[in-house]
Amino acid sequence: MAELIEPEKFDIAIKVRGLCNQFGDAVIHENLDLDVRSGEILGVVGGSGTGKSVLMRSIIGLQIPTAGEIEVYGKTLDTIVDEEESRDLRRRWGVMFQGGALFSTLTVAENIQVPLREFYPRMDPELLDEIAAYKVAMVGLPNDAGPKYPAELSGGMVKRAGLARALALDPALLFLDEPTAGLDPIGAAKFDELIRELADTMGLTVFLITHDLDSLYATCDRVAVLAEKKVIAVGTIPELLATEHPWIQEYFNGPRGRAASGSNDALTRADRKS
């Protein structure tokens, strides 16, 4: 019998070493290294084409890297031969893709039940409905959202429904790809607050891809910067501001960066805890 993973025993949830991703002649990543600490919200930023989503897809096994090694809770997905061990690892994470990526022909409740049906095919239908209703409430959706189809929801509600599905299996790891893209400032701020609250109450480790500077200031413990085909810096926002790399300076000290810094009193989430 495969030994089950105990996420709480790991200080480093995700370890990436020497990652290379290449599509034809286009090299996306070259010798990329990154550690994601257990219990942190790590923001991942970078210019267009730097491979933020490709990195996430590589970690969760949707993209086969050209070279390198990725460990999640000490396990390397592409080397696991035991099916039970592989399933145990995959159920430790939840993923919210860009735009929510809900199945349009399924209701919100049915979307939430998809991962439950995959990993627990014999689960009682009543229990499935109860879990779906609980997840709907957890992400701040109204009770009547469960029977609705994605086309009947606002953009913000679709995002929350996608988050509810990502949390269906009570994962230890949560991957979010541009979760606030397309939301108005008020909706984005409320979504940031929701992520922070869920991470704190559930003890989640969050891998957050975003271009939203307000989200970085409001939610992230650290930020990883992708450029030059690798992670060029990782740290708190004050630590990144102390670096001299031109892209980092332009990103955080440009007009939008200064506005985000001011609106958040230049405090990171870690600063608020201290």
Side-chain angles (χ1 to χ4, degrees):
M1 182 177 178
E3 183 179 352
L4 299 182
I5 296 169
E6 297 180 70
E8 63 276 5
K9 292 186 176 181
F10 291 85
D11 293 329
I12 302 298
I14 302 169
K15 181 183 292 185
V16 181
R17 292 292 181 271
L19 182 70
C20 299
N21 275 304
Q22 183 172 352
F23 301 96
D25 294 331
V27 178
I28 309 301
H29 302 135
E30 189 171 23
N31 295 320
L32 183 152
D33 295 338
L34 178 66
D35 286 343
V36 182
R37 300 168 182 168
S38 292
E40 76 172 340
I41 299 180
L42 179 74
V44 180
V45 302
S48 178
T50 54
K52 300 181 292 295
S53 295
V54 173
L55 174 57
M56 185 191 82
R57 291 169 63 86
S58 298
I59 295 171
I60 63 177
L62 294 180
Q63 164 68 31
I64 300 176
T66 307
E69 186 175 274
I70 300 171
E71 289 186 2
V72 180
Y73 296 124
K75 302 289 185 180
T76 304
L77 188 61
D78 60 358
T79 63
I80 295 176
V81 295
D82 185 272
E83 177 60 26
E84 182 181 355
E85 190 175 5
S86 176
R87 286 174 61 85
D88 181 51
L89 177 59
R90 288 185 286 113
R91 73 181 178 86
R92 301 295 177 173
W93 63 60
V95 185
M96 178 183 166
F97 295 100
Q98 291 187 32
L102 298 177
F103 297 107
S104 61
T105 58
L106 301 180
T107 66
V108 169
E110 290 168 342
N111 266 281
I112 295 170
Q113 292 170 4
V114 167
L116 293 165
R117 292 180 184 276
E118 176 186 355
F119 284 89
Y120 306 104
R122 298 178 182 176
M123 183 175 287
D124 182 82
E126 290 188 5
L127 181 56
L128 284 170
D129 291 339
E130 289 179 12
I131 294 174
Y134 175 70
K135 300 302 178 181
V136 163
M138 177 186 289
V139 299
L141 286 170
N143 294 334
D144 62 356
K148 292 183 178 179
Y149 289 90
E152 301 176 275
L153 305 178
S154 67
M157 293 175 72
V158 167
K159 300 273 191 180
R160 288 176 183 259
L163 177 60
R165 185 177 63 187
L167 294 171
L169 295 170
D170 293 326
L173 263 171
L174 181 61
F175 293 89
L176 304 173
D177 194 351
E178 299 284 6
T180 59
L183 297 181
D184 63 80
I186 295 175
K190 289 182 178 179
F191 200 92
D192 288 338
E193 183 179 354
L194 174 63
I195 294 301
R196 189 171 63 243
E197 290 177 353
L198 289 172
D200 289 340
T201 57
M202 299 177 66
L204 295 169
T205 301
V206 182
F207 184 97
L208 170 63
I209 297 172
T210 186
H211 67 277
D212 191 330
L213 282 154
D214 286 325
S215 293
L216 295 176
Y217 276 98
T219 65
C220 295
D221 296 301
R222 296 191 304 153
V223 178
V225 181
L226 269 62
E228 302 165 11
K229 304 176 184 178
K230 60 186 178 182
V231 175
I232 60 170
V234 185
T236 64
I237 293 179
E239 289 171 345
L240 294 178
L241 286 170
T243 68
E244 296 181 359
H245 193 281
W247 191 91
I248 295 175
Q249 287 299 318
E250 183 178 2
Y251 186 77
F252 285 102
N253 279 325
R256 292 187 178 184
R258 292 195 299 271
S261 174
S263 65
N264 287 278
D265 297 323
L267 292 175
T268 64
R269 182 165 170 261
D271 293 328
R272 292 189 184 99
K273 289 183 176 179
S274 61

